[in-house]
Amino acid sequence: MTTEQYHIQMHYGGKTFELPVQITLTGPYCKISAWVEGTEISFTRDRHCGLRPLNHEEDFDVQFLYQLANEIVHQRPVYN
């Protein structure tokens, strides 16, 4: 099992968020999570090489979740 952790910065609704992200790889399985105000939001990869939320879709604005997913992908550190 491999775990990768990093923070992303996101601007939404006039607020700036600094959010922790964790990616856990266990064999062929991958768990991608971000924490927003103490709530863990899990994501899965979609067929367009992006992410889509698996939970809390009714608890957060759809546009917020979409932007969060994009920021997780675009701000992931690249290692050599």
Side-chain angles (χ1 to χ4, degrees):
M1 178 169 78
T2 304
T3 301
E4 177 183 334
Q5 296 178 326
Y6 60 99
H7 283 79
I8 60 168
Q9 199 171 63
M10 180 176 132
H11 305 283
Y12 182 81
K15 294 171 66 177
T16 300
F17 297 88
E18 185 158 330
L19 305 170
V21 174
Q22 181 172 311
I23 300 173
T24 304
L25 301 168
T26 306
Y29 303 104
C30 179
K31 179 182 179 190
I32 303 165
S33 301
W35 281 263
V36 178
E37 298 174 348
T39 301
E40 180 182 14
I41 302 173
S42 298
F43 294 86
T44 187
R45 296 198 181 277
D46 67 15
R47 62 179 175 218
H48 305 291
C49 296
L51 299 177
R52 80 177 170 83
L54 290 173
N55 57 353
H56 297 291
E57 293 173 292
E58 287 84 32
D59 300 330
F60 293 95
D61 181 60
V62 174
Q63 188 61 38
F64 176 83
L65 293 173
Y66 175 79
Q67 186 173 342
L68 175 58
N70 282 334
E71 296 298 337
I72 289 171
V73 172
H74 294 297
Q75 293 186 41
R76 182 178 184 191
V78 177
Y79 302 102
N80 293 327

